[in-house]
Amino acid sequence: MATIAPFLSSLVSSFIFILVLTSTTNASSFPFKEATITDLQLAFKQNQLTSTQLVEFYIREIRRLNSVLNGVIEINPDAIYQAKRADYQRKVKASGSLVGLHGIPILLKDNIATKDKLNTTLNTTAGSLALFRSVVPRDAGVVIKLRKAGAVILGKASMTEWAAFRSSFMPNGFSARGGQGKNPYVLSADTCGSSSGSAISVAANLVAVSLGTETDGSILCPSNANSIVGIKPTIGLTSRAGVVPISPRQDTVGPMCRTVSDAVYVLDAIVGTDYNDGATRGASQYIPYGGYKQFLKVYGLKGKRLGVVRNPFLSSSSKAESRAFENHLQTLRRGGAYIVDNLKIANINTILNADASGELAALLAEFKISINSYLKNLVTSRVRSLVDVIAFNQKFADLEKIEEFGQDLFIAAEGTNGIGKIERAARENLAKLSKDGFEKVMRENKLDALVTSGAGISPVLAIGGFPGINVPAGYDYRGAPFGINFGGLKGSEPKLIQIAYGFEQATKIRKPPAFKP
């Protein structure tokens, strides 16, 4: 066990850093909790708040709540420096010229690479001890864009280890580095999806905005379970370069925030071409001139055609969700939307079954290829291949809880041998299921979006690379949240934003968490 000592000592050091850090400025009377980007920027402009005070507030909140929630895995040692730099820039620039994300702290899911100039100690580990203290070659593409926008990288959010692709039996929100993440509304409720820490932290006001990643459900599902807004962008709209991968065919990076407008501000900052990710060149055609903020319209529902697929999405919902969904359909109608009800997606049960659809077969082979390439390109790392990671987990089985959760997906992925006959057939089947299912329903009914209760639609959107937005929709008898999801065809983010914003402004359902046991 002596060889694991560096892991533990550094983990303790990170924890001590959080505990001992205290405010160096006077406490502000600013109402931090539930503050939006617009609120924060206005406070900056009116000299009611500095970025440094904001970062210090969030660090104090992390110190106070993270031992219960496990939403944050690590604080960036450079966060205060970045905040002070933003404050200085605000003083020397013309009034009002620094807006958007400038000076706004943001948490990144722990699979999004960061390489700070002052410090290389902010880890990128996908929640795994195997990647602890590895060194990435550069910032992830989306992080480069965030820095350009002036955002402060506050730290890394916890996540389901290896984006839930290590084991079929790993609980949502668990990682060896971060422990078990907890839902801030009802601590015993599911956090859902691998971007759990991003959702937990935003919901609990440990930060205003965050980034998550999704291969199948990992933005939409935790957003749904933690009463926040999550945007899963069209594949390639945001760069995946520097993100610990599963599949270039399905991986995407998106914002996770408390409001639609905040999520759109973040989306505007991170979309665009990145020469390190070829998919961004083709997807850049979808980015509207003037960005996505122009689609934040209160009357965005007017004239939209929205489809409803009740079976199996609504049939699997709780009574509270079902009742809320019916009420929300009326809200959508009152907002001027036309509802096309009782639609069917061809082969929906096959699509929702990763084995039957071929999704799992394709992902296993794609993961092995992608992760081996990612690990090989790290500057320093104790693991250089999937084989190395499997061996590491076995060597430190107690810390990685191998006996409890195993690593069956890793082992199955290692057993693949590139994209062969089986994998090509799986990919072809997924494309056919998308074309004959979701795409056909959307085009034949001339829909702007498909509306579903909860995040059960995520496999439908995942296999075709389609976008989706989750918006808070209500709470069950325990106080556990649920959402409503709007999904569309590739590049339909402008319409989805109009619909989601129109719904949000008509309902304003989200409330702060109660931390019920």
Side-chain angles (χ1 to χ4, degrees):
M1 292 298 291
T3 55
I4 200 68
F7 297 154
L8 299 179
S9 63
S10 191
L11 284 171
V12 170
S13 297
S14 297
F15 183 63
I16 290 173
F17 172 81
I18 296 172
L19 287 179
V20 301
L21 187 58
T22 57
S23 176
T24 58
T25 60
N26 294 327
S28 172
S29 60
F30 179 78
F32 291 95
K33 293 190 176 179
E34 298 292 295
T36 65
I37 291 173
T38 300
D39 296 332
L40 297 171
Q41 288 294 356
L42 182 61
F44 292 157
K45 185 176 181 181
Q46 295 178 345
N47 295 318
Q48 295 177 339
L49 182 68
T50 66
S51 294
T52 304
Q53 288 173 318
L54 183 59
V55 167
E56 289 171 339
F57 168 79
Y58 286 141
I59 292 175
R60 289 196 301 272
E61 287 298 281
I62 292 168
R63 178 185 63 191
R64 186 172 71 89
L65 294 173
N66 202 53
S67 61
V68 175
L69 298 176
N70 290 328
V72 179
I73 206 166
E74 192 169 343
I75 295 291
N76 185 6
D78 289 343
I80 296 293
Y81 166 79
Q82 290 179 17
K84 288 181 177 179
R85 182 177 59 189
D87 290 332
Y88 173 76
Q89 291 170 339
R90 198 177 299 112
K91 286 181 180 179
V92 300
K93 293 283 186 179
S95 177
S97 64
L98 296 175
V99 293
L101 295 186
H102 184 269
I104 302 294
I106 186 166
L107 276 175
L108 309 173
K109 187 176 178 180
D110 186 41
N111 60 350
I112 300 174
T114 48
K115 192 170 186 181
D116 285 88
K117 292 180 180 178
L118 288 185
N119 239 301
T120 57
T121 57
L122 184 59
N123 288 279
T124 304
T125 70
S128 170
L129 292 172
L131 286 179
F132 192 62
R133 286 189 169 171
S134 60
V135 178
V136 298
R138 65 187 70 85
D139 279 335
V142 291
V143 175
I144 292 172
K145 292 182 182 295
L146 287 173
R147 293 196 198 277
K148 185 177 180 181
V152 174
I153 307 303
L154 180 62
K156 295 296 179 70
S158 62
M159 58 182 287
T160 311
E161 188 171 327
W162 291 103
F165 210 71
R166 188 191 95 180
S167 166
S168 306
F169 311 102
M170 185 171 285
N172 286 325
F174 173 82
S175 72
R177 281 200 68 213
Q180 179 60 58
K182 299 292 182 67
N183 189 308
Y185 287 87
V186 179
L187 297 176
S188 61
D190 190 10
T191 59
C192 200
S194 73
S195 301
S196 51
S198 299
I200 292 165
S201 300
V202 166
N205 282 278
L206 304 184
V207 73
V209 295
S210 67
L211 282 192
T213 69
E214 176 157 335
T215 305
D216 187 338
S218 289
I219 290 174
L220 296 179
C221 196
S223 298
N224 181 79
N226 292 275
S227 199
I228 66 166
V229 174
I231 299 181
K232 173 202 182 274
T234 299
I235 297 298
L237 198 66
T238 55
S239 171
R240 289 83 48 84
V243 177
V244 181
I246 292 179
S247 163
R249 187 178 46 79
Q250 290 187 200
D251 291 349
T252 188
V253 181
M256 301 175 73
C257 308
R258 288 188 294 268
T259 66
V260 175
S261 59
D262 279 3
V264 170
Y265 292 149
V266 176
L267 184 67
D268 266 334
I270 63 174
V271 297
T273 303
D274 178 1
Y275 73 90
N276 287 315
D277 182 354
T280 60
R281 289 193 289 274
S284 63
Q285 65 178 306
Y286 298 127
I287 302 172
Y289 179 77
Y292 291 100
K293 288 188 286 291
Q294 62 188 299
F295 302 106
L296 293 169
K297 299 178 179 179
V298 175
Y299 302 106
L301 289 168
K302 191 173 182 179
K304 298 296 189 297
R305 287 178 62 87
L306 308 179
V308 176
V309 176
R310 292 180 175 272
N311 187 20
F313 303 118
L314 197 59
S315 59
S316 61
S317 299
S318 67
K319 288 183 179 180
E321 286 181 89
S322 296
R323 284 195 300 268
F325 187 73
E326 296 301 336
N327 290 334
H328 293 329
L329 289 182
Q330 294 305 317
T331 299
L332 295 170
R333 289 187 177 100
R334 286 194 296 271
Y338 180 75
I339 304 297
V340 185
D341 210 341
N342 294 310
L343 296 175
K344 289 179 170 52
I345 296 177
N347 299 307
I348 184 61
N349 291 327
T350 300
I351 293 170
L352 298 179
N353 185 319
D355 285 312
S357 68
E359 183 184 13
L360 182 58
L363 290 179
L364 289 171
E366 290 162 350
F367 174 69
K368 180 182 178 180
I369 295 167
S370 300
I371 197 61
N372 282 345
S373 176
Y374 176 87
L375 296 173
K376 183 180 178 181
N377 287 315
L378 291 173
V379 176
T380 60
S381 177
R382 53 178 50 87
V383 289
R384 291 293 186 177
S385 67
L386 181 55
V387 169
D388 291 347
V389 178
I390 292 170
F392 178 95
N393 289 341
Q394 290 294 349
K395 184 175 181 179
F396 301 107
D398 289 345
L399 292 169
E400 285 287 349
K401 295 189 180 294
I402 292 299
E403 285 195 15
E404 289 180 65
F405 308 134
Q407 51 181 337
D408 62 305
L409 294 178
F410 272 8
I411 293 168
E414 180 54 36
T416 63
N417 189 26
I419 306 300
K421 184 177 180 180
I422 293 174
E423 290 78 19
R424 284 194 295 272
R427 285 176 167 182
E428 290 170 4
N429 193 50
L430 293 171
K432 188 174 188 303
L433 288 170
S434 284
K435 183 178 179 181
D436 297 342
F438 182 71
E439 292 184 60
K440 186 175 181 181
V441 166
M442 293 291 293
R443 298 192 192 283
E444 285 189 350
N445 293 280
K446 299 178 180 179
L447 300 178
D448 294 301
L450 204 66
V451 186
T452 58
S453 175
I457 195 175
S458 60
V460 177
L461 303 179
I463 65 171
F466 304 119
I469 302 181
N470 175 86
V471 182
Y475 304 86
D476 68 15
Y477 69 96
R478 301 172 299 165
F482 52 83
I484 189 168
N485 272 268
F486 305 100
L489 296 174
K490 290 180 179 180
S492 64
E493 279 84 356
K495 290 180 179 179
L496 296 181
I497 289 166
Q498 287 181 321
I499 295 163
Y501 187 69
F503 172 80
E504 177 195 55
Q505 295 304 299
T507 56
K508 294 189 176 179
I509 286 167
R510 181 191 147 74
K511 58 186 179 182
F515 306 97
K516 294 180 180 179

